[in-house]
Amino acid sequence: KYDRMWKARKRECEKSSCGHLVPDEAMNCINECISEECYADIFAANPLEDGEIDTERTKAFTACIRREAREHSRSGAAFHEKTELKKERAR
């Protein structure tokens, strides 16, 4: 259930916010688009280099976004709604 939620968000990010980037160069954009909080915790201090695969940090990021999705599910807010609210506040 939670994987479907964040994977749908990932596809949305790949098409919209990060669609202008080459896939191998878009992972930082996609990860930040999926969850600004998890991105800040896991990748912001040391972003992925283009084409880099960091299995440990990717696992930590996935765990973070699953936890975030679970928390939002419990609170009644859809996972993507929270991200959209953050974007609105940032404008």
Side-chain angles (χ1 to χ4, degrees):
K1 175 182 174 181
Y2 303 116
D3 283 350
R4 279 191 310 242
M5 291 166 62
W6 75 261
K7 286 180 181 180
R9 179 70 185 142
K10 179 180 178 183
R11 284 189 300 275
E12 189 178 308
C13 292
E14 288 170 339
K15 291 178 185 174
S16 60
S17 303
C18 306
H20 64 286
L21 299 169
V22 176
D24 284 346
E25 299 173 1
M27 286 314 300
N28 288 313
C29 178
I30 292 167
N31 288 338
E32 187 171 18
C33 177
I34 292 171
S35 171
E36 292 177 11
E37 287 178 30
C38 292
Y39 179 83
D41 290 345
I42 310 292
F43 293 111
N46 184 16
L48 291 171
E49 293 182 19
D50 294 346
E52 178 184 3
I53 297 171
D54 185 326
T55 306
E56 291 304 311
R57 289 195 298 161
T58 299
K59 286 179 185 177
F61 183 75
T62 301
C64 181
I65 56 180
R66 283 179 180 154
R67 185 172 46 255
E68 196 174 80
R70 205 171 29 252
E71 290 169 4
H72 294 295
S73 178
R74 288 185 187 137
S75 71
F79 180 63
H80 68 278
E81 288 176 359
K82 179 183 176 233
T83 305
E84 293 303 318
L85 286 172
K86 281 185 184 178
K87 287 181 182 176
E88 289 297 320
R89 289 183 195 139
R91 291 182 191 158

